[in-house]
Coordinates of all heavy atoms in Angstrom, one line a residue:
Chain I
E125 N 263.1 13.3 321.1 CA 262.1 13.9 322.1 C 262.9 14.5 323.3 O 262.6 15.6 323.7 CB 261.1 12.8 322.5 CG 260.0 12.6 321.5 CD 259.1 11.4 321.8 OE1 259.3 10.8 322.9 OE2 258.3 11.1 321.0
Q126 N 263.9 13.8 323.7 CA 264.7 14.3 324.9 C 265.5 15.6 324.5 O 265.5 16.6 325.2 CB 265.8 13.3 325.2 CG 265.4 12.2 326.1 CD 266.5 11.3 326.6 OE1 267.7 11.8 326.7 NE2 266.3 10.1 326.8
W127 N 266.0 15.6 323.3 CA 266.8 16.7 322.8 C 265.8 17.9 322.7 O 266.2 19.0 323.1 CB 267.3 16.3 321.4 CG 268.4 17.2 320.8 CD1 268.8 18.4 321.2 CD2 269.3 16.8 319.8 NE1 269.9 18.8 320.5 CE2 270.2 17.9 319.6 CE3 269.4 15.7 318.9 CZ2 271.2 17.9 318.6 CZ3 270.4 15.7 318.0 CH2 271.3 16.7 317.8
H128 N 264.6 17.7 322.2 CA 263.6 18.7 322.0 C 263.3 19.3 323.4 O 263.2 20.5 323.6 CB 262.4 18.1 321.3 CG 261.4 19.1 320.9 ND1 260.3 19.5 321.7 CD2 261.2 19.8 319.8 CE1 259.6 20.4 321.1 NE2 260.1 20.6 319.9
R129 N 263.1 18.4 324.4 CA 262.8 18.9 325.8 C 263.9 19.8 326.3 O 263.6 20.8 326.9 CB 262.5 17.7 326.7 CG 261.1 17.1 326.6 CD 260.8 16.2 327.8 NE 261.7 15.0 327.9 CZ 261.4 13.8 327.2 NH1 260.3 13.7 326.5 NH2 262.2 12.8 327.4
H130 N 265.1 19.4 326.1 CA 266.2 20.3 326.5 C 266.1 21.7 325.9 O 266.3 22.7 326.6 CB 267.6 19.7 326.1 CG 268.1 18.6 327.1 ND1 268.5 18.9 328.4 CD2 268.3 17.3 326.9 CE1 268.9 17.8 328.9 NE2 268.8 16.8 328.1
L131 N 265.8 21.7 324.6 CA 265.7 23.0 323.9 C 264.6 23.8 324.4 O 264.7 25.0 324.7 CB 265.6 22.8 322.4 CG 266.9 22.1 321.7 CD1 266.6 21.8 320.3 CD2 268.1 22.9 321.9
V132 N 263.4 23.1 324.7 CA 262.2 23.8 325.2 C 262.6 24.4 326.6 O 262.2 25.6 326.9 CB 261.0 22.9 325.3 CG1 259.9 23.5 326.1 CG2 260.5 22.6 323.8
T133 N 263.2 23.6 327.4 CA 263.6 24.1 328.7 C 264.5 25.4 328.6 O 264.3 26.4 329.4 CB 264.4 23.0 329.5 OG1 263.5 21.9 329.6 CG2 264.7 23.5 330.9
G134 N 265.4 25.4 327.7 CA 266.3 26.5 327.5 C 265.5 27.7 327.0 O 265.8 28.9 327.4
I135 N 264.6 27.5 326.1 CA 263.8 28.6 325.5 C 262.9 29.2 326.7 O 262.8 30.4 326.8 CB 263.0 28.2 324.3 CG1 263.9 27.7 323.2 CG2 262.1 29.3 323.8 CD1 263.2 27.0 322.1
D136 N 262.4 28.3 327.5 CA 261.6 28.8 328.6 C 262.4 29.7 329.6 O 261.9 30.7 330.1 CB 261.0 27.6 329.4 CG 259.7 27.0 328.7 OD1 259.1 27.8 327.8 OD2 259.4 25.9 328.9
A137 N 263.7 29.3 329.8 CA 264.5 30.1 330.6 C 264.8 31.5 330.0 O 264.7 32.5 330.7 CB 265.9 29.3 330.9
L138 N 265.0 31.5 328.7 CA 265.2 32.8 328.0 C 264.0 33.6 328.2 O 264.0 34.8 328.4 CB 265.5 32.6 326.5 CG 266.9 32.3 326.1 CD1 266.9 32.3 324.5 CD2 267.9 33.3 326.6
K139 N 262.8 33.0 328.0 CA 261.5 33.7 328.1 C 261.4 34.3 329.5 O 260.9 35.4 329.6 CB 260.4 32.6 327.9 CG 259.8 32.6 326.5 CD 258.5 31.8 326.5 CE 257.6 32.1 325.3 NZ 256.5 31.2 325.2
A140 N 261.7 33.5 330.5 CA 261.5 33.9 331.9 C 262.4 35.2 332.2 O 262.1 36.0 333.0 CB 261.9 32.8 332.9
N141 N 263.5 35.2 331.5 CA 264.4 36.4 331.6 C 263.9 37.6 330.7 O 264.6 38.6 330.6 CB 265.8 36.1 331.2 CG 266.4 35.1 332.1 OD1 266.0 35.0 333.3 ND2 267.4 34.3 331.7
G142 N 262.8 37.4 330.0 CA 262.3 38.4 329.2 C 263.1 38.7 328.0 O 263.1 39.8 327.4
A143 N 263.9 37.8 327.6 CA 264.9 38.0 326.5 C 264.4 37.6 325.1 O 265.1 37.6 324.1 CB 266.2 37.3 326.8
T144 N 263.1 37.1 325.0 CA 262.6 36.6 323.7 C 261.5 37.5 323.2 O 260.9 38.2 323.9 CB 262.0 35.2 324.0 OG1 261.0 35.2 325.0 CG2 263.1 34.2 324.3
P145 N 261.3 37.4 321.9 CA 260.2 38.2 321.2 C 258.8 37.8 321.8 O 258.7 36.6 322.2 CB 260.3 37.8 319.8 CG 261.6 37.1 319.5 CD 262.0 36.5 320.9
A146 N 257.9 38.7 321.9 CA 256.6 38.4 322.3 C 255.9 37.3 321.5 O 256.1 37.3 320.3 CB 255.7 39.7 322.3
G147 N 255.2 36.4 322.1 CA 254.5 35.4 321.4 C 255.3 34.2 320.9 O 254.8 33.4 320.1
L148 N 256.6 34.2 321.3 CA 257.4 33.1 320.8 C 256.8 31.7 321.3 O 256.6 31.5 322.5 CB 258.8 33.2 321.4 CG 259.8 32.1 321.0 CD1 260.2 32.2 319.5 CD2 261.1 32.2 321.9
D149 N 256.7 30.8 320.4 CA 256.2 29.4 320.7 C 257.4 28.5 320.9 O 258.1 28.2 320.0 CB 255.3 28.9 319.6 CG 254.7 27.5 319.8 OD1 255.4 26.7 320.5 OD2 253.6 27.3 319.3
E150 N 257.6 28.1 322.2 CA 258.9 27.4 322.5 C 258.9 26.0 321.8 O 260.0 25.6 321.4 CB 259.1 27.3 324.0 CG 258.1 26.6 324.8 CD 257.0 27.5 325.3 OE1 256.6 28.5 324.6 OE2 256.6 27.4 326.5
N151 N 257.7 25.4 321.6 CA 257.7 24.1 321.0 C 258.1 24.2 319.5 O 258.9 23.4 319.0 CB 256.4 23.4 321.1 CG 256.2 22.7 322.4 OD1 257.0 21.8 322.7 ND2 255.3 23.1 323.2
R152 N 257.5 25.2 318.8 CA 257.8 25.4 317.4 C 259.3 25.7 317.3 O 260.0 25.2 316.4 CB 257.0 26.5 316.8 CG 255.6 26.2 316.5 CD 255.0 27.4 315.6 NE 255.5 27.4 314.3 CZ 255.0 26.8 313.3 NH1 253.9 26.1 313.4 NH2 255.6 26.9 312.1
A153 N 259.8 26.7 318.1 CA 261.1 27.1 317.9 C 262.1 26.0 318.2 O 263.1 25.8 317.4 CB 261.4 28.3 318.9
A154 N 261.8 25.1 319.2 CA 262.7 24.0 319.5 C 262.7 23.0 318.3 O 263.7 22.5 317.9 CB 262.3 23.3 320.7
T155 N 261.5 22.8 317.7 CA 261.4 21.9 316.5 C 262.3 22.5 315.3 O 263.0 21.7 314.7 CB 260.0 21.8 316.1 OG1 259.2 21.2 317.2 CG2 259.8 20.9 314.9
T156 N 262.2 23.8 315.1 CA 262.9 24.4 314.0 C 264.4 24.3 314.2 O 265.2 24.0 313.3 CB 262.4 25.8 313.8 OG1 261.1 25.8 313.3 CG2 263.3 26.5 312.8
I157 N 264.8 24.5 315.5 CA 266.3 24.5 315.8 C 266.8 23.0 315.6 O 267.8 22.8 315.0 CB 266.5 24.9 317.2 CG1 266.2 26.4 317.4 CG2 267.9 24.7 317.7 CD1 266.1 27.0 318.8
L158 N 266.0 22.1 316.1 CA 266.5 20.7 316.0 C 266.5 20.2 314.5 O 267.4 19.5 314.1 CB 265.5 19.8 316.8 CG 265.8 18.4 317.1 CD1 267.2 18.2 317.6 CD2 264.8 17.8 318.1
T159 N 265.6 20.7 313.7 CA 265.6 20.3 312.3 C 266.8 21.0 311.6 O 267.4 20.4 310.7 CB 264.2 20.8 311.7 OG1 263.2 20.2 312.5 CG2 264.1 20.2 310.3
A160 N 267.1 22.2 312.0 CA 268.3 22.8 311.4 C 269.6 22.0 311.7 O 270.4 21.9 310.8 CB 268.4 24.3 311.9
V161 N 269.7 21.5 312.9 CA 270.9 20.8 313.3 C 270.9 19.5 312.5 O 271.9 19.1 311.9 CB 270.9 20.4 314.8 CG1 272.0 19.4 315.1 CG2 271.0 21.7 315.7
T162 N 269.8 18.8 312.4 CA 269.7 17.5 311.7 C 270.0 17.7 310.2 O 270.8 17.0 309.6 CB 268.3 16.9 311.8 OG1 268.0 16.8 313.2 CG2 268.3 15.5 311.2
G163 N 269.3 18.7 309.6 CA 269.6 19.0 308.2 C 271.0 19.4 307.9 O 271.6 19.0 306.9
G164 N 271.5 20.3 308.8 CA 272.8 20.8 308.6 C 273.9 19.7 308.7 O 274.8 19.6 307.9
A165 N 273.7 18.8 309.6 CA 274.6 17.7 309.8 C 274.5 16.8 308.6 O 275.6 16.3 308.1 CB 274.3 16.9 311.1

Side-chain angles (χ1 to χ4, degrees):
Chain I
E125 282 171 6
Q126 279 186 29
W127 197 343
H128 191 268
R129 278 197 295 273
H130 278 294
L131 296 175
V132 168
T133 303
I135 298 169
D136 281 340
L138 278 187
K139 261 191 161 170
N141 296 335
T144 54
L148 177 72
D149 178 331
E150 61 268 41
N151 274 303
R152 282 191 71 90
T155 299
T156 293
I157 293 167
L158 192 47
T159 308
V161 173
T162 307

